[in-house]
Each structure stands twice: as C-alpha cells, then as structure tokens.
Amino acid sequence: MNENKKITLQEFLNGEILTREWFKKQYALFLLIGGLTFVYIFLGYQAQRQYRHLIELQEELQDKQFKQLTIEAELTELTRESAVSRALQAGGSTLQENKKPLIRL
C-alpha cells in the first residue's frame, strides 16, 4: 500500500485508515488524546455537580439563618420583663415586681 497516498473519505469511513503505518505509529497518541478528552469531560460534569450542590447548601444555610433570626426575635420578645410579668399574672401567680432598685457592688 502506498503510504504517501491521500486519505479518502471512503477509507476513513470503512476503517482502512486503521491499517496504515502512520496510524499504527501514532496509536498511543490517539489513545492518550481520547483518554484526556474523557477525563476533561468527566471533570467538567463533576465540577458542575459540585457547583449545584454548593448552591443548594447555600440556599439551605440562608433558610436556616432566617429561621434562627425569627426564633431569636420571638425569644427576645418572650423574655422581656413586661412579657414575663403578663405571663405570670395570666397564670395566677402571686409574685410581685421588685420596686427597689438593684444595688451593685
């Protein structure tokens, strides 16, 4: 077979190109290029999946922060002196508010 002959479309499509000597010499290079292409595509999908997961975690964190803020506001409201006094009076407690100012040493 003449190795200087140009490759025709028919040779390429029917696989005769695989029997050429220059292709046999470059076989390892083609495998390397194919392997690297596969790894590149795989890592792209992996990065995309991790990015989507990161976005989901950020949204979940933001939701939890909003819930924490709401709970803290409710707790602050419930622990105010006036709210505690109202709750004690509504519960029928006989406790009274201290009228003397606190003395700190």
Side-chain angles (χ1 to χ4, degrees):
M1 181 181 272
N2 187 0
E3 292 298 325
N4 294 332
K5 188 171 109 176
K6 289 191 175 190
I7 301 169
T8 64
L9 181 61
Q10 182 180 3
E11 285 180 341
F12 185 77
L13 292 177
N14 68 14
E16 287 180 24
I17 191 172
L18 300 176
T19 61
R20 290 200 166 202
E21 189 64 34
W22 69 268
F23 185 83
K24 290 178 184 178
K25 288 180 182 178
Q26 303 300 327
Y27 187 68
L29 177 65
F30 290 131
L31 283 177
L32 177 67
I33 291 171
L36 291 176
T37 303
F38 176 77
V39 169
Y40 179 78
I41 292 170
F42 174 76
L43 291 177
Y45 284 126
Q46 192 75 1
Q48 199 174 35
R49 189 176 340 151
Q50 287 179 349
Y51 181 73
R52 282 193 310 261
H53 184 65
L54 177 67
I55 296 297
E56 291 172 4
L57 289 177
Q58 286 175 343
E59 290 173 356
E60 184 179 342
L61 177 63
Q62 190 174 22
D63 289 343
K64 300 237 185 245
Q65 285 174 338
F66 288 148
K67 286 180 184 178
Q68 177 199 4
L69 189 60
T70 303
I71 290 170
E72 283 180 357
E74 291 172 359
L75 182 62
T76 302
E77 182 63 33
L78 290 175
T79 57
R80 288 191 179 177
E81 186 178 349
S82 59
V84 172
S85 296
R86 275 187 263 127
L88 286 173
Q89 288 174 357
S93 176
T94 59
L95 290 176
Q96 293 183 359
E97 189 176 333
N98 186 11
K99 302 293 182 190
K100 292 182 183 179
L102 298 176
I103 299 174
R104 295 194 183 214
L105 297 176

